[in-house]
Amino acid sequence: MLMPHLPKSIYIYTLIKIMKALNYLFIFSLMMISCSKDSDSNITPATNTNLAELTFNGNNYSITNAKMIDTYHSIDEKHQYMLLFSDKDIVVDVGGFGSSFYYALPLASRFSMKLKMYSYGENIVNGTYIFDDNEPQNYQFFNQFSMSIDSNNDGYSDSHMQAVSGTITSSGVEPNNTLHFNIQLSNGQIFDFVYSGGFEYFINNY
C-alpha cells in the first residue's frame, strides 16, 4: 500500500504525535511494573506466632491467634469487646460504621476461647471485671465466656465450658492488654490463666 505524499510540516507534526504516544505508553508500562512490585513487596506471609501457652487437665495448648473486636456506641461512650483466642486462624469481617460484624472460630482447633466484656471510656478500663449476666451500673463486667478443647487431638471439640462466676483483671494499654482470668467454669473447675500476648484490633463503631 502506498502512503500519500504529505507536506513536510504535516509529516513532522504526525511523527511528533506518534513519538509522544509511544513515550506515554512506555512510561505507563514502567508505572504498572513498579506498582506490581510494590504490591508484591507489601504481601506479608501468614505466620502462626505463639502468643501464649497454657496447661489444662494435664494437656498443653497454644494460642497463636487473638483478635479484639471493639464495638463502640458513640452516643453513650460504651464499649463492647469481643475477644477471640485460638490455636488456628480466626475469621473476622467488620462491615464499617453502624454495621454488624462477623467472626468464625475454627472448628478443628485444639483450643479456642471467646470472651465478651464491657467498658466505659476510650479504651478498656484497667481493673477488675466481674461476671454478671445483668448490666451493672458501673458498666465494667463480662457476661460471656466460653472455652472449647479438643483434648485427644482428633479434630473435634470434646469439652465445652462456660463461665458461671469469676473475675477478669485487665492491665496495660489496648490492644496489648494483659488479662488475668480467674473463672469458675460450668464443669466446676477454676480457670486461672494470665494472657499477655496482645490482640489484632478491629473497630466497629455505632
Side-chain angles (χ1 to χ4, degrees), residues 66-109:
K67 300 190 187 301
M68 175 186 291
I69 307 170
D70 177 6
T71 300
Y72 175 56
H73 300 264
S74 56
I75 295 176
D76 50 14
E77 297 185 353
K78 293 180 178 180
H79 288 261
Q80 171 190 292
Y81 294 92
M82 179 70 76
L83 306 182
L84 307 168
F85 309 79
S86 181
D87 62 346
K88 297 187 184 301
D89 290 339
I90 303 169
V91 176
V92 171
D93 183 13
V94 176
F97 187 86
S99 301
S100 58
F101 61 86
Y102 167 83
Y103 70 89
L105 287 166
L107 296 177
S109 60

Coordinates of all heavy atoms in Angstrom, one line a residue, residues 66-109:
A66 N -5.2 -14.2 68.3 CA -6.0 -13.5 69.2 C -6.5 -12.2 68.6 O -5.7 -11.4 68.0 CB -5.3 -13.2 70.5
K67 N -7.8 -12.0 68.6 CA -8.4 -10.8 68.0 C -9.4 -10.1 68.9 O -10.0 -10.7 69.7 CB -9.2 -11.2 66.7 CG -8.3 -11.9 65.6 CD -9.0 -12.1 64.3 CE -8.2 -12.9 63.3 NZ -6.9 -12.3 63.0
M68 N -9.4 -8.8 68.8 CA -10.2 -7.9 69.6 C -11.1 -7.1 68.7 O -10.7 -6.4 67.9 CB -9.3 -7.0 70.5 CG -10.1 -5.9 71.3 SD -9.1 -4.7 72.1 CE -8.3 -5.8 73.4
I69 N -12.5 -7.3 68.9 CA -13.4 -6.5 68.1 C -14.1 -5.5 69.1 O -14.8 -5.9 70.0 CB -14.5 -7.4 67.5 CG1 -13.8 -8.6 66.7 CG2 -15.4 -6.6 66.6 CD1 -14.8 -9.6 66.2
D70 N -13.9 -4.3 68.8 CA -14.3 -3.2 69.7 C -15.6 -2.6 69.0 O -15.5 -1.9 68.0 CB -13.2 -2.1 69.8 CG -13.7 -0.9 70.7 OD1 -14.8 -1.0 71.2 OD2 -12.9 0.0 70.8
T71 N -16.8 -2.8 69.6 CA -18.0 -2.2 69.1 C -18.3 -1.0 70.0 O -18.6 -1.1 71.2 CB -19.2 -3.2 69.2 OG1 -18.9 -4.3 68.3 CG2 -20.5 -2.5 68.7
Y72 N -18.1 0.2 69.5 CA -18.2 1.4 70.2 C -19.5 2.1 70.0 O -19.8 2.5 68.9 CB -17.0 2.3 69.9 CG -17.0 3.7 70.5 CD1 -17.1 3.8 71.9 CD2 -17.0 4.9 69.8 CE1 -17.1 5.1 72.5 CE2 -17.0 6.1 70.4 CZ -17.1 6.2 71.8 OH -17.1 7.4 72.4
H73 N -20.3 2.4 71.1 CA -21.5 3.1 71.0 C -21.2 4.6 71.3 O -21.0 5.0 72.5 CB -22.6 2.6 71.9 CG -22.9 1.2 71.7 ND1 -24.0 0.8 71.0 CD2 -22.3 0.0 72.0 CE1 -24.0 -0.5 70.9 NE2 -23.0 -1.0 71.5
S74 N -21.1 5.4 70.3 CA -20.6 6.8 70.5 C -21.6 7.7 71.3 O -21.1 8.6 71.9 CB -20.4 7.5 69.1 OG -21.5 7.4 68.3
I75 N -22.8 7.4 71.3 CA -23.8 8.2 72.0 C -23.6 8.2 73.5 O -23.6 9.2 74.2 CB -25.3 7.7 71.7 CG1 -25.6 8.0 70.2 CG2 -26.3 8.5 72.5 CD1 -26.9 7.4 69.8
D76 N -23.4 7.0 74.0 CA -23.2 6.9 75.5 C -21.7 6.4 75.9 O -21.4 6.2 77.0 CB -24.2 5.9 76.1 CG -24.2 4.5 75.3 OD1 -23.3 4.3 74.5 OD2 -25.1 3.8 75.6
E77 N -20.8 6.4 74.9 CA -19.4 6.1 75.1 C -19.2 4.7 75.8 O -18.3 4.5 76.6 CB -18.7 7.2 75.9 CG -18.7 8.5 75.2 CD -18.0 9.6 76.0 OE1 -17.5 9.3 77.2 OE2 -17.8 10.7 75.5
K78 N -20.0 3.8 75.4 CA -19.9 2.4 75.9 C -19.1 1.5 74.9 O -19.3 1.7 73.6 CB -21.2 1.8 76.2 CG -22.0 2.5 77.4 CD -23.3 1.8 77.6 CE -24.0 2.4 78.8 NZ -25.4 1.8 79.0
H79 N -18.3 0.7 75.4 CA -17.6 -0.3 74.5 C -18.0 -1.7 74.8 O -18.1 -2.1 76.0 CB -16.1 -0.2 74.7 CG -15.5 1.1 74.2 ND1 -14.8 1.1 73.0 CD2 -15.4 2.4 74.7 CE1 -14.4 2.4 72.7 NE2 -14.7 3.1 73.8
Q80 N -18.3 -2.5 73.8 CA -18.5 -3.9 73.9 C -17.3 -4.6 73.2 O -17.1 -4.4 72.0 CB -19.8 -4.3 73.3 CG -20.0 -5.8 73.2 CD -21.2 -6.2 72.4 OE1 -22.3 -6.0 72.8 NE2 -20.9 -6.8 71.2
Y81 N -16.5 -5.4 73.9 CA -15.4 -6.0 73.4 C -15.6 -7.5 73.2 O -16.0 -8.2 74.2 CB -14.1 -5.8 74.3 CG -13.7 -4.4 74.4 CD1 -14.1 -3.6 75.4 CD2 -12.8 -3.9 73.4 CE1 -13.7 -2.2 75.5 CE2 -12.3 -2.6 73.5 CZ -12.8 -1.8 74.5 OH -12.4 -0.5 74.6
M82 N -15.4 -8.0 72.0 CA -15.4 -9.4 71.7 C -14.0 -9.9 71.6 O -13.3 -9.4 70.7 CB -16.2 -9.8 70.5 CG -16.3 -11.3 70.2 SD -17.2 -12.2 71.3 CE -18.9 -11.8 70.8
L83 N -13.5 -10.7 72.5 CA -12.1 -11.2 72.4 C -12.1 -12.7 72.0 O -12.8 -13.5 72.6 CB -11.4 -11.0 73.8 CG -11.5 -9.6 74.4 CD1 -10.8 -9.5 75.7 CD2 -10.9 -8.6 73.4
L84 N -11.3 -13.0 71.0 CA -11.3 -14.4 70.5 C -9.9 -14.9 70.5 O -8.9 -14.2 70.2 CB -11.8 -14.3 69.0 CG -13.2 -13.7 68.8 CD1 -13.4 -13.5 67.3 CD2 -14.3 -14.5 69.4
F85 N -9.8 -16.2 70.9 CA -8.5 -16.8 71.1 C -8.5 -18.2 70.4 O -9.5 -18.9 70.5 CB -8.1 -17.0 72.6 CG -8.2 -15.8 73.4 CD1 -9.4 -15.4 73.9 CD2 -7.0 -15.1 73.8 CE1 -9.5 -14.2 74.7 CE2 -7.1 -14.0 74.6 CZ -8.4 -13.5 75.1
S86 N -7.4 -18.6 69.8 CA -7.4 -19.9 69.2 C -6.0 -20.3 68.8 O -5.1 -19.5 68.8 CB -8.3 -19.9 67.9 OG -8.3 -21.2 67.3
D87 N -5.8 -21.6 68.5 CA -4.5 -22.1 68.0 C -4.5 -22.1 66.5 O -3.5 -22.6 65.9 CB -4.2 -23.4 68.6 CG -5.2 -24.5 68.2 OD1 -6.3 -24.1 67.7 OD2 -4.9 -25.7 68.4
K88 N -5.6 -21.6 65.8 CA -5.6 -21.6 64.4 C -6.2 -20.2 64.0 O -6.6 -19.4 64.8 CB -6.5 -22.7 63.8 CG -5.9 -24.1 64.1 CD -6.7 -25.2 63.4 CE -6.2 -26.6 63.7 NZ -4.8 -26.8 63.4
D89 N -6.3 -20.0 62.7 CA -6.8 -18.7 62.1 C -8.2 -18.4 62.5 O -9.1 -19.3 62.5 CB -6.6 -18.7 60.6 CG -5.2 -18.6 60.2 OD1 -4.3 -18.2 61.0 OD2 -4.9 -19.0 59.0
I90 N -8.5 -17.2 62.9 CA -9.8 -16.7 63.2 C -10.3 -15.7 62.1 O -9.6 -14.8 61.8 CB -9.8 -16.0 64.6 CG1 -9.3 -16.9 65.7 CG2 -11.2 -15.5 64.9 CD1 -9.1 -16.2 67.0
V91 N -11.5 -16.0 61.6 CA -12.0 -15.1 60.5 C -12.8 -14.0 61.2 O -13.7 -14.2 62.0 CB -12.9 -15.9 59.6 CG1 -13.5 -15.0 58.5 CG2 -12.1 -17.0 58.9
V92 N -12.5 -12.7 60.8 CA -13.3 -11.6 61.3 C -13.6 -10.7 60.1 O -12.7 -10.4 59.3 CB -12.5 -10.8 62.4 CG1 -13.2 -9.5 62.7 CG2 -12.3 -11.6 63.6
D93 N -14.8 -10.2 60.0 CA -15.2 -9.3 59.0 C -16.0 -8.2 59.6 O -17.1 -8.4 60.1 CB -16.0 -10.0 57.9 CG -16.4 -9.1 56.8 OD1 -15.9 -8.0 56.7 OD2 -17.3 -9.5 56.0
V94 N -15.5 -7.0 59.6 CA -16.2 -5.8 60.2 C -16.7 -4.9 59.1 O -15.9 -4.5 58.2 CB -15.2 -5.0 61.1 CG1 -15.9 -3.7 61.6 CG2 -14.8 -5.9 62.3
G95 N -18.0 -4.7 59.0 CA -18.6 -4.1 57.9 C -18.4 -2.6 57.8 O -18.5 -2.0 56.7
G96 N -18.1 -1.9 58.9 CA -18.0 -0.4 58.9 C -18.9 0.2 59.9 O -19.6 -0.4 60.7
F97 N -19.1 1.5 59.8 CA -19.9 2.3 60.8 C -21.3 1.8 60.7 O -22.0 1.8 59.7 CB -19.8 3.8 60.4 CG -20.4 4.6 61.5 CD1 -19.7 5.0 62.6 CD2 -21.7 5.0 61.4 CE1 -20.3 5.8 63.6 CE2 -22.3 5.8 62.4 CZ -21.6 6.2 63.5
G98 N -21.8 1.5 61.9 CA -23.2 1.1 62.0 C -23.5 -0.3 61.5 O -24.7 -0.7 61.4
S99 N -22.5 -1.1 61.1 CA -22.7 -2.4 60.6 C -22.4 -3.5 61.6 O -21.7 -3.3 62.5 CB -21.8 -2.6 59.4 OG -22.1 -1.7 58.4
S100 N -23.1 -4.6 61.5 CA -22.8 -5.7 62.3 C -21.5 -6.4 61.9 O -21.0 -6.1 60.7 CB -23.9 -6.7 62.3 OG -24.1 -7.2 61.0
F101 N -20.8 -7.1 62.7 CA -19.6 -7.8 62.4 C -19.8 -9.3 62.3 O -20.8 -9.8 62.9 CB -18.5 -7.4 63.3 CG -18.7 -7.8 64.8 CD1 -18.4 -9.1 65.2 CD2 -19.3 -6.9 65.7 CE1 -18.6 -9.4 66.5 CE2 -19.5 -7.3 67.0 CZ -19.2 -8.5 67.4
Y102 N -18.9 -10.0 61.7 CA -18.9 -11.4 61.6 C -17.6 -12.0 62.1 O -16.6 -11.4 61.8 CB -19.2 -11.8 60.1 CG -18.9 -13.3 59.8 CD1 -19.9 -14.2 60.1 CD2 -17.7 -13.7 59.3 CE1 -19.7 -15.6 59.8 CE2 -17.5 -15.1 59.0 CZ -18.5 -16.0 59.3 OH -18.3 -17.3 59.0
Y103 N -17.7 -13.1 62.8 CA -16.5 -13.8 63.2 C -16.7 -15.3 63.1 O -17.9 -15.7 63.3 CB -16.0 -13.4 64.6 CG -16.9 -13.8 65.7 CD1 -16.6 -15.1 66.3 CD2 -17.9 -13.1 66.1 CE1 -17.4 -15.5 67.3 CE2 -18.7 -13.5 67.2 CZ -18.5 -14.7 67.8 OH -19.3 -15.2 68.8
A104 N -15.7 -16.0 63.0 CA -15.8 -17.5 63.0 C -14.5 -18.1 63.6 O -13.4 -17.9 63.1 CB -16.0 -18.0 61.6
L105 N -14.7 -18.8 64.7 CA -13.7 -19.6 65.3 C -13.5 -20.9 64.6 O -14.5 -21.5 64.1 CB -14.0 -19.9 66.8 CG -13.8 -18.7 67.8 CD1 -14.5 -19.0 69.1 CD2 -12.4 -18.3 68.0
P106 N -12.3 -21.3 64.4 CA -12.1 -22.6 63.6 C -12.6 -23.8 64.3 O -12.5 -24.0 65.5 CB -10.5 -22.7 63.5 CG -10.0 -21.8 64.7 CD -11.0 -20.7 64.9
L107 N -13.3 -24.6 63.6 CA -13.9 -25.8 64.1 C -12.9 -26.9 64.5 O -13.2 -27.7 65.5 CB -15.0 -26.4 63.1 CG -16.1 -25.5 62.8 CD1 -17.0 -26.2 61.7 CD2 -17.0 -25.2 64.0
A108 N -11.8 -27.0 63.8 CA -10.9 -28.0 64.1 C -9.7 -27.6 65.0 O -8.7 -28.3 65.0 CB -10.3 -28.5 62.7
S109 N -9.9 -26.6 65.8 CA -8.8 -26.1 66.7 C -8.8 -27.0 67.9 O -9.8 -27.6 68.3 CB -9.1 -24.7 67.1 OG -10.3 -24.6 67.8

